[in-house]
Amino acid sequence: MKAHHSSIQRQRHIRLALTYLLLIFMVVVIIYPLLWTIGASFNPGNSLISTSLIPENPTTGHYSRLFANEGTLLYGQWYINSLKISFFTMLLSLVSVSMTAYAFSRFRFTGRKNGLTLFLLLQMIPQFSALIAIFVLAQMLGLINSHWLLILIYVGGQIPMNTYLLKGYFDSIPRDLDESAKIDGASNTRIFLQIILPLSRPMLAVVAMNGFTGPLGDFALSSVLLRNPEYYTLPIGLYKLVTDKMGASYTTFAAGAILISIPIALVFLSLQKHFVSGLTAGGTKG
């Protein structure tokens, strides 16, 4: 009996050790490139080549250069453009996706199933396959260099998959809550705003995070619609920075890339509490 118990304990220890090894490996894979990029951003000169993660003669000159507005390097303007596009994409995505998902979850109407199938099919089509059509349309409407057109395209592209995700979450909320609210005289709008949305905070946080981070990492679509340097977003501006034939600066690029992570981290930290509060509300009211 003792031998059997000892064998079980040994297996548990082995599984625990393997789990920790896997976690350590994942952390190294994720953290090392980040630390290397941070080190490169403080590395003197324009080359990324370094013998260690910590530069021997660190400098903050690359960060200063980003905001010096030298020539076509308008990093501050690109940063503002990216934050504006990401914020309004996140806001409009939350509004459009939540209302669409609520309609598909709680109402029965003609074309409902076909609509869900169409959303799934649209999600399978790569966005870059429509780049030519989007460019021609933007040119016909005189909307080249328009941030608002870019925002609308981002919002439209996020509706299909996020609607599927949020609809599934809405379906998990008991309909008894809706019926009880209707008996008390609540309208569908009030049920949506005061019952469904508060209980869906975790998934709404996911939708918000997707809406904010998506534009910050997009290059293909924004590079087609934004032509003048003052309208660039961060991905386009940083790409131009390393492809400049007159003097590509990879260390300045590294500094610019590090600064992109700051708003993403802040948004994640601000949304983190909604995951917990949403789950708590769901457990209390369910």
Side-chain angles (χ1 to χ4, degrees), residues 7-244:
S7 176
I8 294 176
Q9 288 291 103
R10 190 181 303 110
Q11 291 177 4
R12 288 179 179 176
H13 290 157
I14 292 175
R15 286 197 297 266
L16 185 61
L18 291 175
T19 301
Y20 277 117
L21 287 175
L22 179 61
L23 290 175
I24 292 172
F25 173 76
M26 295 297 294
V27 168
V28 170
V29 169
I30 295 173
I31 296 298
Y32 179 79
L34 178 62
L35 294 177
W36 187 83
T37 305
I38 293 174
S41 68
F42 291 100
N43 198 33
N46 294 327
S47 176
L48 293 178
I49 298 176
S50 178
T51 57
S52 62
L53 289 176
I54 303 176
E56 295 181 359
N57 300 303
T59 177
T60 59
H62 306 304
Y63 290 92
S64 301
R65 185 194 169 197
L66 287 173
F67 298 96
N69 290 334
E70 298 177 355
T72 58
L73 180 54
L74 307 174
Y75 187 83
Q77 184 62 49
W78 301 340
Y79 211 96
I80 294 173
N81 293 342
S82 292
L83 290 181
K84 180 183 77 172
I85 292 172
S86 293
F87 174 77
F88 283 106
T89 299
M90 177 184 68
L91 185 63
L92 294 177
S93 292
L94 279 172
V95 174
S96 58
V97 169
S98 60
M99 291 192 297
T100 305
Y102 180 69
F104 277 111
S105 175
R106 288 302 195 258
F107 299 107
R108 297 296 179 266
F109 50 88
T110 303
R112 176 177 174 274
K113 291 184 178 180
N114 292 334
L116 289 172
T117 303
L118 179 62
F119 274 8
L120 186 60
L121 292 175
L122 288 174
Q123 190 61 36
M124 296 178 182
I125 301 175
Q127 194 176 50
F128 65 82
S129 62
L131 286 181
I132 297 177
I134 292 173
F135 174 75
V136 172
L137 180 62
Q139 205 168 35
M140 290 174 59
L141 298 176
L143 294 177
I144 296 294
N145 291 321
S146 172
H147 290 160
W148 290 108
L149 176 62
L150 200 59
I151 290 170
L152 291 177
I153 294 173
Y154 285 144
V155 172
Q158 294 195 12
I159 288 177
M161 179 56 72
N162 285 332
T163 296
Y164 242 94
L165 292 175
L166 197 55
K167 174 194 173 296
Y169 200 92
F170 285 170
D171 289 342
S172 67
I173 298 176
R175 293 180 180 269
D176 295 343
L177 296 176
D178 300 39
E179 299 300 328
S180 299
K182 287 180 180 179
I183 293 174
D184 293 336
S187 63
N188 287 322
T189 302
R190 188 175 179 182
I191 293 172
F192 172 65
L193 295 176
Q194 297 186 0
I195 297 178
I196 302 298
L197 290 186
L199 292 175
S200 305
R201 287 179 184 175
M203 190 54 66
L204 290 174
V206 172
V207 173
M209 196 68 192
N210 290 339
F212 188 84
T213 58
L216 283 177
D218 175 70
F219 172 79
L221 183 59
S222 56
S223 64
V224 169
L225 296 180
L226 305 178
R227 296 291 178 165
N228 297 342
E230 62 269 23
Y231 295 102
Y232 284 171
T233 56
L234 286 173
I236 309 174
L238 292 177
Y239 173 76
K240 298 293 184 182
L241 187 63
V242 295
T243 57
D244 186 3

